[in-house]
Amino acid sequence: MSEFFSSKYKNLTPYVPGEQPKERKYIKLNTNESPFAPSKNAIKLANEQAEKLFLYPDPDCKELTSAVAQELGVSSENVILTNGSDEVLNFAFMAYCDKDNPAVFPDISYGFYKVFAEINCVPYKEIPLKSDFTIDVDEYINSNGTVFIANPNAPTGIALSLSEIERLVSSNEKRIVVIDEAYVDFGGQSAVNLTKKYKNLIVTQTFSKSRQMAGARLGFGVADKEIIADLMTIKYSTNPYNVNRMTAGAGLGAIKDKEYFIENCKKIIENRNYTQNALKDLGFTLTNSSANFVFAKSDKISGKDLYLKLKERGVLVRHFDKDRIKEYNRITIGDYQQMQIFIQTVKSILEEI
Ligand code: PMP
């Protein structure tokens, strides 16, 4: 740290993304990316935009916003496109958290929430998940502040029902609730339709997982038009051109290729079922995941040892050194062959101990 770094950031602990090692080729099951290529339509439209890179992109992202809105059954004024869903989440922290409205989120959830609170210098409160890793909605109903919940949650993959979300959102219409649906397309229930009924609800989604575009950085928020106007104020005060031309082109191509989207979500769900069953057969305990990853622990080997031994053998999964979950690993669901190799590798590790 230099002597010039602002005192407000001196204690900031940045988010640590999953490893992206280059020294050898791994089976990468550690960052919840899709194992599949983007839609051909997405690549085609991105290439067309590559020719126009000398021009700024449309700051309003009109065409893509309208296509996303149409897909979701809302109006364009209810949608904001951002540089990954991380950006719209950060905008929500900027717009709706302050000393009177602390950020409230689970103790085990997406690690970036804490970082967003810290970089925006807003107080936050972490509410422990129950012992079975589920969310106790009443604890949020009884808290003051702006709520951030990933649904399905990460890294557990456990989903909350829509009725529980509605109970939370409707319990206090003066409280903003942000539902982060990064993984909703793999079996969760989306709260997008509830944004038509409740002005205090923001739903965020991403093209990174179910639309095979993690490298393009595209996400969005859906909410009442006044909320979107607030988020636009933040966007135009930070980076009006937050979605670049090629990404907007790819997004348009992807959102229109519904068949490919459905087919790939189906494959991930099938591969998840295969992985869950195979891990159960090997004696693992798993959470009930509705996401493109599973969260599993074995009583034969510690979470850290399994992670390290898998890495030695060329398979990368995500291990979190956090007390309540350190016996677990989060394993992204890849294609069928990758999951077969993963299971075979786990089997051989367990046989050796
Ligand atoms: N929310 C959750 C729960 C996530 O796990 C991620 C991915 N790391 C994101 C949001 C952000 O994803 P992106 O910025 O790629 O849309």
Side-chain angles (χ1 to χ4, degrees):
M1 186 193 310
S2 83
E3 61 185 298
F4 309 105
F5 201 33
S6 167
S7 59
K8 63 179 190 266
Y9 296 137
K10 288 220 160 106
N11 294 322
L12 185 64
T13 314
Y15 176 70
V16 183
E19 313 162 76
Q20 305 281 3
K22 302 278 174 287
E23 75 278 4
R24 66 184 268 196
K25 207 169 170 345
Y26 285 97
I27 295 198
K28 251 188 111 281
L29 307 177
N30 70 326
T31 44
N32 296 343
E33 289 144 328
S34 171
F36 308 119
S39 148
K40 289 205 167 59
N41 204 26
I43 297 169
K44 180 170 162 270
L45 296 196
N47 279 336
E48 279 172 28
Q49 288 302 320
E51 311 258 336
K52 298 188 190 153
L53 281 180
F54 61 102
L55 296 171
Y56 282 112
D58 170 14
D60 288 334
C61 283
K62 272 211 186 65
E63 208 181 350
L64 179 57
T65 304
S66 151
V68 169
Q70 197 182 342
E71 177 57 32
L72 298 173
V74 297
S75 304
S76 287
E77 63 194 10
N78 301 117
V79 176
I80 179 170
L81 269 299
T82 53
N83 189 308
S85 56
D86 278 340
E87 189 178 50
V88 67
L89 288 165
N90 189 31
F91 287 175
F93 275 82
M94 291 167 89
Y96 302 111
C97 298
D98 52 36
K99 67 179 182 358
D100 301 320
N101 297 289
V104 182
F105 44 82
D107 63 336
I108 295 164
S109 191
Y110 184 31
F112 224 139
Y113 299 155
K114 200 167 155 177
V115 183
F116 287 139
E118 282 176 358
I119 195 153
N120 290 302
C121 304
V122 295
Y124 62 89
K125 177 177 164 191
E126 293 175 284
I127 297 186
L129 293 182
K130 290 196 269 186
S131 58
D132 63 358
F133 291 150
T134 57
I135 287 173
D136 184 349
V137 165
D138 287 308
E139 294 234 34
Y140 295 82
I141 290 178
N142 297 325
S143 291
N144 286 327
T146 299
V147 172
F148 292 81
I149 287 181
N151 190 38
N153 196 13
T156 64
I158 299 173
L160 265 182
S161 69
L162 206 50
S163 57
E164 281 292 89
I165 304 266
E166 183 161 12
R167 198 161 71 80
L168 168 61
V169 176
S170 64
S171 66
N172 176 358
E173 297 197 15
K174 296 281 172 230
R175 169 189 22 233
I176 291 281
V177 175
V178 179
I179 302 295
D180 171 354
E181 296 188 347
Y183 301 106
V184 77
D185 297 320
F186 306 105
Q189 288 176 290
S190 176
V192 159
N193 277 333
L194 292 181
T195 62
K196 296 176 191 165
K197 195 165 160 194
Y198 299 101
K199 287 179 188 263
N200 57 320
L201 171 64
I202 304 174
V203 174
T204 65
Q205 291 190 11
T206 179
F207 280 65
S208 295
K209 323 287 177 187
S210 54
R211 290 194 162 83
Q212 299 81 40
M213 280 178 45
R217 315 304 302 123
L218 184 62
F220 57 91
V222 188
D224 178 71
K225 66 176 195 237
E226 286 178 15
I227 295 278
I228 296 298
D230 297 340
L231 298 173
M232 286 291 188
T233 299
I234 304 274
K235 161 182 150 130
Y236 277 89
S237 307
T238 51
N239 185 7
Y241 302 114
N242 59 341
V243 177
N244 72 70
R245 279 186 171 275
M246 290 180 72
T247 293
L252 193 61
I255 201 91
K256 294 199 164 162
D257 195 348
K258 199 160 176 178
E259 214 175 294
Y260 189 65
F261 160 77
I262 292 172
E263 179 190 315
N264 284 333
C265 290
K266 205 169 140 236
K267 280 189 202 157
I268 294 294
I269 293 169
E270 282 165 12
N271 296 346
R272 182 178 72 209
N273 289 340
Y274 160 76
T275 309
Q276 284 169 325
N277 289 334
L279 284 174
K280 276 184 204 152
D281 288 346
L282 293 173
F284 277 77
T285 304
L286 291 102
T287 54
N288 182 17
S289 174
S290 299
N292 67 338
F293 53 83
V294 295
F295 197 52
K297 71 168 179 182
S298 164
D299 54 12
K300 300 191 188 78
I301 184 166
S302 75
K304 181 95 185 243
D305 279 352
L306 179 60
Y307 155 76
L308 289 171
K309 283 182 191 295
L310 281 166
K311 189 171 175 185
E312 264 169 37
R313 290 162 172 80
V315 181
L316 265 191
V317 299
R318 185 98 197 241
H319 178 257
F320 298 92
D321 244 335
K322 198 170 174 170
D323 252 358
R324 286 185 77 188
I325 54 172
K326 65 180 188 319
E327 293 312 326
Y328 283 79
N329 279 293
R330 190 195 68 190
I331 302 126
T332 302
I333 301 300
D335 64 26
Y336 184 58
Q337 198 196 0
Q338 289 176 316
M339 299 328 289
Q340 276 183 314
I341 295 172
F342 163 72
I343 292 293
Q344 282 312 323
T345 314
V346 172
K347 227 183 227 168
S348 67
I349 292 169
L350 293 183
E351 276 162 14
E352 280 168 27
I353 53 177

